[in-house]
Amino acid sequence: MSELSLAERALSFTRGEAQATVTRERSLFSRFAVSRPTQATRVDDVSVSIFRVHEGHTGSAETNDVSDAGLRDVAAQADAAARSAAHAAPSAGDCPGLVAPAAVPAHDGYDAVTALLDPAVAGAALRTAFDACAARGAEAFGLWTAGVVDTAIASSTGVAVADTTTDAFMKVIARDRDGRSGWATGAGAAISDLDPAALAERAAAKVTRVTPVVLEAGEYPVVLEADAVGALLDFLGAMAFNGLSHADGRGALAGRLGETIAAPGIALSDAPLGAGTLPHAFDAEAVPKAPLALIQDGVARAVVHDRRSAGRAGAESTGHALIPGGSSYGPHPTNLVLTGGDASTEAELAAPIERGIYVTRLWYVNPVHEKSTLLTGTTRDGTFLIEDGQVTRPLLDVRFTDSVLRLLSATEALGTAQHLACEADFYGRRFASGVVCPPLRAQGFRVTGRTV
């Protein structure tokens, strides 16, 4: 039985306004440490969730039992939850209801070879990484994963849509016996997007025998590799482009749409069907995905919405629901794309800097102040001093405390090469997402301390 047929069968056990979502994940994970495989897992999981709307109030329930009895039970649980919420409330709820059927776009986010999920491919990737790190006197740590996800939605309003996506990801941390480390990642919709040898060599090249230098607190010109840029932009998605926060006046762009918020060269969009992204045809509420300009020529243009936040803002959903009915945290752009610039390499970005800092990636990043997009975190796995335009000595990792919008305002140049930055931390249901972005150079990166 197809996922869509299963969704329609589940829907048949509901009453009133309801949506049935079926998700099937098939995936492989291979983790490694000290240049040895440490864990290999295979997942094949089917789940059915029912979302019920009653008098503007909602209830949901989920099951792995796809028998008639299991589907009947999960539908009853969702119905009972919605009715209980309505009974306890003094007035009708604010859920705007389910969407009407609409055509969903096609995309190229499915790769048949990746969908085979051959464990031998994972084994070969790990051996390649081990050998490449060993050649530079380092050991390899990290993970390799690939997956295929089928999603189908059927609703009482007549929606009947299905989508299949694949994704692949590899992370390599090269580390020597003294704890010095380097980092590299690769990701894409197909296994062929990964180059294990190049990733391992890039990570291992950052492991140097030179004693790290201590950098004092202060403001420094900075070159951020794409993984570091991607981490900042993902947080910006939550702090600035979240339509629920925006409607409530908590978001960083509340009252600022149409204003200049970044350097003129900054063009940021959510491009769920764009080249190099991890495409999706529709969101969790079956709203079709479409490109959306967020910043153009440095000017704030839009925020993203699910049905809930759109209803609160008097707007339309932009197709960014994370769950049916909208997450309590609000919607999130999951396919951010930052347009690249003219610098062909990171070395070219560093060339104008007399004394500054080169950052491979950021770690343990947390928000400090949403309205100002202020974050704090540390650098990790490859932090270097820039001297007279050259990336030279390694630095002890530093703590930064800085605003993402301030950094985008202070951005002087962007690289040409685009990289899909993502973590692939699939701790729940697999949903592949990432940020396509180049490296960049900015002024005044605020170093507030160093790690121990």
Side-chain angles (χ1 to χ4, degrees):
M1 174 180 289
S2 71
E3 284 71 27
L4 184 55
S5 295
L6 178 55
E8 291 172 333
R9 183 159 68 90
L11 185 66
S12 71
F13 292 102
T14 67
R15 56 175 174 168
E17 192 173 10
Q19 173 183 310
T21 303
V22 172
T23 306
R24 183 187 182 193
E25 172 192 339
R26 291 172 288 135
S27 62
L28 297 177
F29 266 91
S30 293
R31 301 181 188 274
F32 51 95
V34 202
S35 291
R36 294 182 179 86
T38 57
Q39 182 187 50
T41 60
R42 178 190 289 270
V43 172
D44 192 341
D45 176 72
V46 178
S47 61
V48 179
S49 66
I50 301 296
F51 176 69
R52 176 78 167 88
V53 182
H54 180 69
E55 296 178 358
H57 295 276
T58 64
S60 61
E62 187 170 336
T63 186
N64 294 107
D65 183 352
V66 298
S67 68
D68 283 356
L71 298 178
R72 185 179 293 108
D73 181 61
V74 74
Q77 290 182 43
D79 180 69
R83 289 177 178 275
S84 294
H87 179 74
S91 60
D94 63 358
C95 178
L98 304 180
V99 299
V104 299
H107 59 70
D108 59 359
Y110 172 79
D111 178 68
V113 173
T114 300
L116 294 175
L117 298 178
D118 184 356
V121 176
L126 267 60
R127 287 192 297 272
T128 298
F130 300 164
D131 292 344
C133 286
R136 289 183 174 267
E139 295 172 321
F141 301 72
L143 68 87
W144 180 101
T145 182
V148 54
V149 176
D150 301 290
T151 306
I153 297 176
S155 79
S156 57
T157 59
V159 167
V161 293
D163 191 26
T164 301
T165 60
T166 54
D167 67 89
F169 174 84
M170 188 172 190
K171 170 174 67 178
V172 180
I173 301 172
R175 185 176 299 163
D176 68 9
R177 296 185 182 277
D178 295 320
R180 301 182 180 95
S181 60
W183 158 283
T185 66
I191 289 173
S192 59
D193 293 325
L194 307 181
D195 187 339
L199 291 176
E201 289 166 4
R202 183 175 176 87
K206 295 181 178 180
V207 180
T208 172
R209 300 292 181 183
V210 178
T211 301
V213 178
V214 175
L215 188 70
E216 297 303 319
E219 296 185 4
Y220 298 88
V222 66
V223 172
L224 299 173
E225 281 196 10
D227 278 310
V229 176
L232 294 175
L233 293 179
D234 190 51
F235 272 95
L236 186 66
M239 295 186 293
F241 303 113
N242 178 332
L244 184 62
S245 294
H246 186 79
D248 290 345
R250 297 179 285 112
L253 298 184
R256 300 189 65 189
L257 292 181
E259 293 183 5
T260 298
I261 61 168
I266 297 298
L268 181 67
S269 64
D270 189 75
L273 309 172
T277 65
L278 294 167
H280 297 278
F282 49 83
D283 73 357
E285 296 175 322
V287 176
K289 288 287 191 177
L292 179 67
L294 301 172
I295 302 175
Q296 287 182 318
D297 301 323
V299 177
R301 292 301 184 194
V303 298
V304 303
H305 284 294
D306 53 26
R307 295 272 289 167
R308 179 187 180 200
S309 69
R312 188 168 298 186
E316 296 291 330
S317 172
T318 56
H320 290 88
L322 302 178
I323 61 173
S327 166
S328 60
Y329 296 102
H332 189 81
T334 54
N335 293 96
L336 287 173
V337 175
L338 177 64
T339 301
D342 299 325
S344 59
T345 64
E346 286 94 341
E348 186 175 329
L349 289 171
I353 297 177
E354 182 176 341
R355 187 169 188 270
I357 180 172
Y358 182 97
V359 177
T360 295
R361 74 159 178 134
L362 303 173
W363 182 70
Y364 207 64
V365 181
N366 286 286
V368 176
H369 189 252
E370 180 179 7
K371 288 281 284 186
S372 60
T373 69
L374 188 66
L375 299 174
T376 189
T378 70
T379 64
R380 191 174 173 96
D381 299 321
T383 308
F384 296 90
L385 190 64
I386 300 173
E387 298 174 290
D388 298 323
Q390 300 292 318
V391 179
T392 58
R393 295 172 287 173
L395 291 172
L396 285 178
D397 287 321
V398 300
R399 171 163 292 281
F400 77 94
T401 305
D402 211 338
S403 159
V404 185
L405 287 181
R406 193 210 64 78
L407 280 167
L408 291 180
S409 294
T411 295
E412 297 179 329
L414 298 155
T416 56
Q418 296 281 45
H419 172 75
L420 177 57
C422 59
E423 285 285 346
D425 291 331
F426 300 122
Y427 295 119
R429 179 175 293 118
R430 191 180 190 98
F431 182 86
S433 65
V435 178
V436 175
C437 58
L440 63 78
R441 180 181 73 241
Q443 286 294 326
F445 185 65
R446 293 170 178 170
V447 173
T448 52
R450 64 176 186 267
T451 63
V452 177

